[in-house]
Amino acid sequence: MARPRTPTLKLEGRGGFDKHPERKRARANEPVVKRPLGEPPEGLNVLHVADWRDLADWGSEWLTIADRFQVEIACRAMEAYRATGDKGQGMLAQAALAKCGFNPVDRTRVMAEGGKSDGSRDKAEAYFGA
């Protein structure tokens, strides 16, 4: 299995483009999402909406509209796990939350406003539209 692609902000933050400028050129047209996560979608029950609002609050510095589907999956899986104890739903919830930066390891991969003072904050502001 191929190694996952390193996020652009991570490469930029650790100087990966200094050694390999072709990587930066290859990512020149990468989309930049500036719109916030927003309100929960229609069709979520009261418990899902409560989870949505919690996640939106906790991840307010990095979640964007591009994360909506992943956050919805996390909300639905969390409630299914809570209701049934189904370990599969628990694993799905954990995976969805990790993709959104909600576990200790994945949170270290998120670059958001208020981050390191080495200039990465400016890059995060540009990326997340803060």
Side-chain angles (χ1 to χ4, degrees), residues 71-122:
V71 172
E72 181 179 354
I73 290 170
C75 292
R76 290 179 185 275
M78 286 188 317
E79 285 310 318
Y81 173 71
R82 288 174 180 155
T84 66
D86 179 350
K87 290 181 183 178
Q89 289 297 318
M91 290 172 58
L92 176 59
Q94 285 181 328
L97 290 168
K99 294 271 187 192
C100 293
F102 284 109
N103 73 33
V105 172
D106 288 295
R107 208 169 22 255
T108 66
R109 296 179 180 128
V110 174
M111 295 180 69
E113 183 176 1
K116 297 177 183 172
S117 60
D118 63 359
S120 61
R121 177 179 175 166
D122 296 333

Side-chain angles (χ1 to χ4, degrees), residues 27-107:
R27 297 170 185 230
N29 295 319
E30 195 173 83
V32 176
V33 181
K34 295 181 180 180
R35 290 176 50 201
L37 182 64
E39 291 297 311
E42 296 291 321
L44 294 182
N45 69 30
V46 175
L47 296 173
H48 297 143
V49 170
D51 287 338
W52 179 283
R53 295 198 190 290
D54 282 344
L55 294 176
D57 183 46
W58 296 332
S60 63
E61 293 184 20
W62 68 84
L63 291 175
T64 69
I65 196 165
D67 302 307
R68 288 179 65 79
F69 187 62
Q70 199 68 35
V71 172
E72 181 179 354
I73 290 170
C75 292
R76 290 179 185 275
M78 286 188 317
E79 285 310 318
Y81 173 71
R82 288 174 180 155
T84 66
D86 179 350
K87 290 181 183 178
Q89 289 297 318
M91 290 172 58
L92 176 59
Q94 285 181 328
L97 290 168
K99 294 271 187 192
C100 293
F102 284 109
N103 73 33
V105 172
D106 288 295
R107 208 169 22 255

